[in-house]
Amino acid sequence: MTLLVVIMVCTKYMPCDKDHARVYQAFRAQPGQIVCGVPADMTIIQSDLRPDKNEYVSIKCRLD
């Protein structure tokens, strides 16, 4: 079983899903790692894609 993590940058007061997110990134956690969160080195957080003052980060996790 592995953990699928989807990180989305969304605008405040709007739905937050992959159809409405400004940008999103998905990854599978390492086997045995069951932590739902954003690693500090993710591109979506450490680049110009990061959220601005009118946006927020939403994290959704699912065990597959």
Side-chain angles (χ1 to χ4, degrees):
M1 202 178 275
T2 60
L3 183 68
L4 174 65
V5 181
V6 179
I7 304 159
M8 297 172 282
V9 175
C10 299
T11 303
K12 290 179 183 177
Y13 312 114
M14 294 290 292
C16 192
D17 56 33
K18 70 176 191 166
D19 295 327
H20 294 94
R22 177 173 56 84
V23 63
Y24 68 94
Q25 187 172 3
F27 69 95
R28 290 202 178 273
Q30 297 294 324
Q33 180 184 2
I34 309 295
V35 177
C36 183
V38 182
D41 62 348
M42 288 297 291
T43 304
I44 200 168
I45 299 300
Q46 296 297 329
S47 71
D48 290 338
L49 299 175
R50 68 185 172 271
D52 65 21
K53 64 181 180 176
N54 295 313
E55 297 176 317
Y56 65 99
V57 174
S58 176
I59 304 166
K60 297 188 181 195
C61 300
R62 184 181 75 208
L63 282 173
D64 282 340

